[in-house]
Structure formats: structure tokens, C-alpha cells
Amino acid sequence: MDDSSVSALNETPSSENHRNMEAAVLERYGNAAQTVEACLCLPVSYDKALLNVIPDEILERDYGCGDPSRYIREGETVVDLGSGSGKACYIISQIVGARGRVIGIDFNPPMLELTRKYQKSIGDQLGYHNVEFRRGKIQDLKTNLELLDQHLKENPVRSVADLARLEEFESRMRREQPLIADESVDVVVSSCVLNLVRAEDKKQLFTEMYRVLKHGGRVAISDIVSDEPVPDYLARDPNLWSACVSGAFQEEAFLRAFEEAKFHGVQIEDFSSKPYQTVEGIEFRAITVTAYKGKEGTCIERNQAVIYRGPWKQVVDDDGHTLERGVRMAVCDKTFGLYSRAPYSGQFILVPPRDEVAMDNAGLFDCARDHKRHPRETKGVDFKITQLSGGACGPNSNCCP
């Protein structure tokens, strides 16, 4: 019993269509790894200094729609979903430097062969080797397909008993040797590949991105979105699907997918004014989004407040807090910390209590309370100091009467 026989046992018209889509993507990008297909890419400007060590064969076979490398910092560990020819990985490897690490994930063997072809020579030129490529599906970052493939070669499936042993091996591999471990990376990036994942796997894709990120980690995702929902008959077209069109998220649904996966600070960094393609009046364009992981935790009361600077009269955050411009708003210790970091830093005046409340003495924050914070809550109820301005005048100053 081979893989195709096992799959055929549960085949339905719907799953057959999905297999056709996956086959179309594999074939198209497998061919594109060997012969340049210009219609699969959008013009993207990169730092030319970072392209000097990358061979033309890789540069010419890069099929993306944005540059998430702009959001990477030195020393970080980065995973590139759908790494393709490896161009983004080799750019990012120079940004993160010798202290950083880059892992490219791709499902397409010809693309992986291309990326690995120059792996040593590029590393030798840079003076360090910090890039590796692994085969897997971006919606399943636990299953290492090369390990699974090797196991199947050594243990072919010819019976139901063999199938049971295969399933046991796969379960153990996902647990003990995951493709990407839990909370192990600083940033997840991708360029124009999320739309290639079938609709029923897209939720798992976002869950997997969240799983592999460290607390405080982030994503920088460039992809194609549509301004209107894509009709089913277009979504079933393998050519449009493999061209990064009919599998695209609708604009609002794309941002909502990050929210539903528990990301916060979701922000549109780039939005193409010109459509990539227009099909039956539906416009498909490139977008780049960043989002963060790390708002989990208990709400602790430490008498902290924040003042939203503006320019809006009020804003609502991802947890439903309404923050009024210029008003001292009560927040828990977790939210106070979040607002002190990207992407919120600079938007708020942080007001800590006059006397710090030790964590051991802190109680739970009442999320149902009036969220305005009286100044006496931060200064202290018994704060009675009188301090006149004269003491602030320096020598030879004429600021005081």
C-alpha cells in the first residue's frame, strides 16, 4: 500500500480538487525554479548592497510581492515561510549577522535544491554560515518532510500494520523532532505564499506562526489580498490559484486572521495602490503586515496609568480597552508593559505609581472597573506634599518672580 493508495481511501471530490491545487503549485514553482517565470513576481526594491553575494540564478527565480527583511534586526532568529529560491533568506542572513540565524521552509524540492546549491559559497563569502533550509508545509511546522520521506524509503507502507507504524513514527517525530520547535524564533516572515495554502488550512497556518514565535516575537508578512471576496468558481481554478490570485485573503479577513490567532499590534506597513492583477473586476494587490505575540498573562493591579497622546479623540486596543486622548486611563501591569514597547511606544505617556507596588503585594486588576485612573491612585491617597516652583530656579535664572 503506497501513499497514493492510502490517500485514495478517503478521497472526495473536494479533496481531489485540493490535490489538484497543490499539484498545480508544486508543478508551477518547480518549473519556475529552473526557468524564470516573470508573471509570478512583483517589482520589489531591495538594498542593493545585500544582493552582491547572491547569484543571479537565485535573484532571477525569486517570486515575491514585498520585502519583509526591512523589519529584521541584528542577532535575531528568523523563519522564512515559503523560502523559494532563498533570496530573502540570504538577504536576512546579512542583516541578522553571525549572531543570528535564518531557517527557510519550502515544500518544493526543485526550489530547495536551488537554495542549497549556493548555501556554502554564500556563507564562505560572508564569513559565517547562518542559513539552513528545511522541507515542510508552512501550515504544518511540526512535520519534517525530509525525515518522513527518509523513513518511508526505509520502511515502505504495504499493509495496515505498516500504516499504523508510520503514524506512530510521525507522531513521535512531530513531538521530539519538530520542524520548528515551540517558541524558538524571534520573527516569522514570508512573501506571497500564504495565499497558496488551501482555505481549510489557513487557520492552522496562523496558529503555527504563533506557536513557533517566542513571547514578544513578531511576524512580517507580505502577501496578495483581494478587495472583494473571491467566488468559489475562481477559487477552484488551479492556474489562478498557483498565480497567487484566487487563494488570496480578502483585505479585512487577512487582518482578522492575525487577530483571531491572538496576535496584537497588527499594522499595515505597505499597501500597493496599483493592483497586481484584476480578475472580473476584483482587484488583487500586495500588502505587508506586521503583528506581535505576547499579550498573554494575568491582569495585575499595580496602580499604573497611561495617557494616549492623540491625534485621534479615542482609540480601542486589541483587548477592547477604550483609550481617550489626554485622559489618565487605568491599565494592568501587562498592558502597561505592552504599551512601552513596539508597536505602541511613543503613542502613550506612561504614568507609573509614585511608590512602586511590588508584585508580591499586587492584586488582580478589575477589568470591569471605570478605566479612568484618578491621580491619587498613582500618587497615593495620603500624598500631601507642597512644593513651590521657586526651588526649581537655577542660578542667575529669571524664570521665577
Side-chain angles (χ1 to χ4, degrees):
M1 185 183 296
D2 60 19
D3 289 346
S4 59
S5 300
V6 172
S7 299
L9 293 175
N10 298 312
E11 197 67 75
T12 66
S14 177
S15 59
E16 174 65 27
N17 182 64
H18 295 142
R19 279 211 312 170
N20 291 340
M21 296 297 187
E22 196 168 85
V25 172
L26 273 173
E27 181 179 3
R28 188 165 192 171
Y29 285 86
N31 292 334
Q34 301 168 50
T35 304
V36 177
E37 185 175 346
C39 65
L40 279 179
C41 60
L42 284 168
V44 179
S45 297
Y46 297 92
D47 183 343
K48 292 183 179 179
L50 299 175
L51 303 180
N52 292 334
V53 299
I54 305 176
D56 289 343
E57 187 177 9
I58 285 179
L59 298 177
E60 292 167 355
R61 290 161 175 77
D62 173 60
Y63 306 108
C65 59
D67 180 17
S69 70
R70 299 173 187 174
Y71 310 100
I72 303 303
R73 298 190 288 265
E74 183 181 1
E76 293 183 317
T77 296
V78 181
V79 165
D80 180 16
L81 301 182
S83 50
S85 72
K87 176 180 174 180
C89 288
Y90 290 124
I91 289 174
I92 293 170
S93 74
Q94 299 170 74
I95 298 172
V96 301
R99 293 190 302 109
R101 184 183 179 201
V102 185
I103 305 168
I105 305 295
D106 208 276
F107 183 51
N108 200 299
M111 281 294 188
L112 287 167
E113 183 179 352
L114 173 60
T115 62
R116 290 165 173 167
K117 178 179 178 181
Y118 297 99
Q119 191 172 349
K120 184 177 185 304
S121 61
I122 292 175
D124 288 346
Q125 290 181 71
L126 294 176
Y128 51 84
H129 296 80
N130 64 351
V131 181
E132 63 177 299
F133 298 95
R134 302 175 185 176
R135 186 171 184 232
K137 293 184 176 182
I138 64 173
Q139 68 269 33
D140 179 10
L141 297 177
K142 285 189 176 180
T143 302
N144 187 322
L145 292 180
E146 287 174 322
L147 287 181
L148 185 60
D149 190 49
Q150 182 61 39
H151 177 84
L152 282 168
K153 289 177 180 177
E154 297 172 357
N155 305 273
V157 177
R158 298 190 178 94
S159 68
V160 172
D162 290 341
L163 179 59
R165 282 189 286 271
L166 171 64
E167 291 172 345
E168 192 280 328
F169 168 80
E170 184 175 358
S171 177
R172 186 175 66 253
M173 176 188 65
R174 286 166 56 84
R175 185 176 61 253
E176 299 176 0
Q177 296 177 282
L179 188 69
I180 304 291
D182 294 359
E183 299 189 346
S184 62
V185 303
D186 299 297
V187 194
V188 173
V189 302
S190 76
S191 182
C192 211
V193 295
L194 270 59
N195 62 81
L196 296 174
V197 174
R198 59 187 188 175
E200 61 266 42
D201 290 339
K202 281 185 164 74
K203 183 175 182 179
Q204 180 184 344
L205 165 63
F206 280 81
T207 299
E208 282 291 85
M209 288 193 287
Y210 200 84
R211 176 184 66 80
V212 302
L213 282 171
K214 298 175 184 176
H215 187 85
R218 65 193 184 282
V219 296
I221 307 295
S222 297
D223 218 273
I224 299 296
V225 293
S226 63
D227 63 344
E228 302 177 50
V230 179
D232 287 344
Y233 68 90
L234 291 180
R236 290 193 297 268
D237 186 320
N239 290 325
L240 287 177
W241 191 283
S242 62
C244 301
V245 175
S246 61
F249 282 89
Q250 193 273 335
E251 294 163 356
E252 295 175 27
F254 188 54
L255 297 182
R256 191 162 55 247
F258 289 98
E259 296 173 16
E260 291 174 352
K262 300 191 291 187
F263 286 98
H264 69 272
V266 182
Q267 185 166 320
I268 298 174
E269 302 285 355
D270 194 20
F271 187 82
S272 178
S273 59
K274 183 179 179 180
Y276 158 58
Q277 288 194 38
T278 303
V279 180
E280 297 187 9
I282 302 173
E283 294 182 340
F284 298 84
R285 53 175 37 85
I287 187 174
T288 298
V289 170
T290 56
Y292 293 74
K293 172 181 177 176
K295 67 175 183 177
E296 299 88 350
T298 305
C299 293
I300 302 297
E301 173 64 274
R302 300 185 72 195
N303 297 341
Q304 296 145 314
V306 297
I307 302 172
Y308 171 56
R309 294 178 181 272
W312 307 109
K313 184 175 182 178
Q314 64 180 30
V315 294
V316 180
D317 72 5
D318 291 296
D319 288 322
H321 299 131
T322 298
L323 303 145
E324 300 177 35
R325 180 180 56 206
V327 177
R328 292 171 183 249
M329 306 301 293
V331 293
C332 68
D333 183 67
K334 176 188 68 176
T335 301
F336 190 82
L338 283 176
Y339 288 170
S340 70
R341 303 188 295 270
Y344 308 109
S345 55
Q347 298 183 44
F348 297 93
I349 298 167
L350 303 175
V351 186
R354 178 173 173 270
D355 295 317
E356 182 177 350
V357 178
M359 290 297 291
D360 290 343
N361 298 326
L364 293 178
F365 180 83
D366 181 6
C367 294
R369 63 160 286 172
D370 173 9
H371 282 278
K372 292 184 180 180
R373 176 83 78 185
H374 192 283
R376 288 282 175 181
E377 290 186 75
T378 51
K379 289 188 299 185
V381 176
D382 298 324
F383 187 72
K384 302 288 187 182
I385 291 177
T386 298
Q387 185 174 358
L388 302 177
S389 60
C393 296
N396 303 315
S397 171
N398 59 0
C399 69
C400 301

